Amino acid sequence: MLLATTVHERTDSSKYTKHDQLFIKLTQTFFKEFIDVFFPDVHRHINDHHTTFLSEEVNMDPGFFI
């Protein structure tokens, strides 16, 4: 009787699309338009000439908040 089957898929890193990096670039490129469409009240108060994006990612420990 077969209970479980493990499938190992070989991933070639040269063919891997970095979706996270592409999403970040898309968000940065169209930040003004995104805010305008989804948050029109906020958009009026943002000076887009002084908008800077941070390159750091913050990974918080979920236990920190408990």
Side-chain angles (χ1 to χ4, degrees):
M1 179 160 98
L2 182 63
L3 296 177
T5 302
T6 303
V7 177
H8 296 282
E9 186 174 316
R10 184 173 172 225
T11 56
D12 186 3
S13 63
S14 64
K15 294 181 182 179
Y16 177 69
T17 304
K18 297 181 183 343
H19 296 289
D20 187 45
Q21 291 177 353
L22 291 173
F23 180 74
I24 291 169
K25 183 66 177 171
L26 181 70
T27 305
Q28 289 176 352
T29 303
F30 297 105
F31 179 73
K32 181 179 174 181
E33 291 82 0
F34 174 81
I35 296 297
D36 187 27
V37 170
F38 291 101
F39 305 101
D41 295 335
V42 174
H43 181 260
R44 289 184 273 249
H45 302 287
I46 294 179
N47 182 352
D48 60 340
H49 296 291
H50 292 38
T51 303
T52 22
F53 297 97
L54 302 176
S55 62
E56 296 84 17
E57 292 185 15
V58 176
N59 295 318
M60 297 295 295
D61 178 17
F64 177 77
F65 297 103
I66 296 176

